Amino acid sequence: METIAALKHISFGYEKNVPILKDISLEIKKGEIVGLAGGNGSGKSTLLKIMAGFISDYRGTVHIAEAVMENLACVIDGSAVFEDLSVGHNLEMITKMSKNAEGRKPDEDLIDLLDLRKYYRRKASKLSLGNQQKLALCMALHQDTALALLDEPFNGLDPMSKARLLHYLKQRADSGMSILMTSHIRGDLELLCDRLIEIEKTGEKQA
């Protein structure tokens, strides 16, 4: 299978001489779902930020094809939504902000699957935690997403929505979308992922 992302010997710390990540290497194949497991403070979210380009002062190399970066989806560190805008305007805004508006239209199937359409006129700030998470996912995952970086994607979701999202992600992976995701519930990762990587402050080991 085609490798669409490769990290080699990634090390990083927010404070000098206090490493969070040390010598992390991994590859992600097209259509593969990879899970990052590890305790609080092990650097799972930080690794996703490095891949997304939010952190640049790390050691090591990150290679992600340009075509993949153009179709990258990120939900990292909670649900990033425009709280003063309605749900519908949030979805319109993310399309207008995209460099390639044609390729960043929301996935209407996901909007319906997560039952978000009935909240279109409601301000994002008035949504529950779970519905804000649904909105963040719908804003990130567009029709042509090649690689999705998902930090705790099931956070706040009710059991039915969680089951629907699990099924959706499996279907998208079968269609070629790659996923790198974290969860504090290891069972969720084992249920969905093709492969798990255990992240520790001293490095990584495959499980």
Side-chain angles (χ1 to χ4, degrees):
M1 273 192 294
E2 176 189 357
T3 298
I4 59 104
L7 284 67
K8 294 184 178 179
H9 308 297
I10 299 296
S11 296
F12 175 78
Y14 288 103
E15 299 178 29
K16 189 175 182 180
N17 299 323
V18 184
I20 294 176
L21 298 169
K22 187 175 180 181
D23 201 27
I24 304 292
S25 296
L26 64 89
E27 290 186 348
I28 303 172
K29 306 291 186 181
K30 183 176 181 179
E32 185 179 31
I33 306 177
V34 179
L36 295 180
N40 292 336
S42 60
K44 302 185 299 296
S45 299
T46 300
L47 190 62
L48 296 186
K49 290 177 183 179
I50 288 172
M51 292 185 67
F54 301 156
I55 294 173
S56 59
D57 55 337
Y58 58 86
R59 294 196 304 275
T61 59
V62 175
H63 177 72
I64 302 175
E66 183 177 349
V68 174
M69 285 298 294
E70 289 176 353
N71 289 292
L72 183 71
C74 302
V75 178
I76 302 176
D77 269 356
S79 51
V81 300
F82 303 105
E83 292 191 348
D84 290 336
L85 297 181
S86 68
V87 168
H89 284 149
N90 264 273
L91 293 169
E92 291 175 7
M93 183 65 69
I94 203 67
T95 298
K96 291 177 181 178
M97 290 173 60
S98 302
K99 293 180 180 178
N100 180 6
E102 287 300 318
R104 291 304 300 263
K105 291 181 178 178
D107 188 336
E108 299 291 338
D109 290 339
L110 181 59
I111 293 170
D112 290 332
L113 193 67
L114 295 180
D115 201 21
L116 199 60
R117 205 173 294 278
K118 63 185 178 184
Y119 298 111
Y120 258 40
R121 295 186 179 182
R122 185 173 299 183
K123 275 192 175 183
S125 60
K126 302 298 183 181
L127 296 175
S128 66
L129 172 63
N131 283 327
Q132 283 194 359
Q133 182 74 348
K134 292 177 186 180
L135 177 55
L137 288 163
C138 289
M139 290 170 67
L141 292 164
H142 56 93
Q143 295 169 343
D144 296 319
T145 298
L147 173 61
L149 305 177
L150 305 178
D151 188 18
E152 300 284 353
F154 307 117
N155 187 36
L157 298 186
D158 60 81
M160 180 62 74
S161 297
K162 179 178 175 180
R164 288 175 175 173
L165 181 60
L166 279 166
H167 181 69
Y168 171 84
L169 293 175
K170 285 182 178 180
Q171 283 190 321
R172 290 297 303 269
D174 288 342
S175 298
M177 184 177 81
S178 303
I179 302 168
L180 181 63
M181 61 178 289
T182 75
S183 176
H184 66 281
I185 301 176
R186 191 180 182 91
D188 289 344
L189 297 176
E190 292 174 344
L191 184 64
L192 180 62
C193 297
D194 301 307
R195 179 163 54 95
L196 297 186
I197 296 177
E198 186 81 27
I199 299 292
E200 300 176 349
K201 287 187 179 181
T202 56
E204 61 92 22
K205 60 182 181 182
Q206 297 213 10

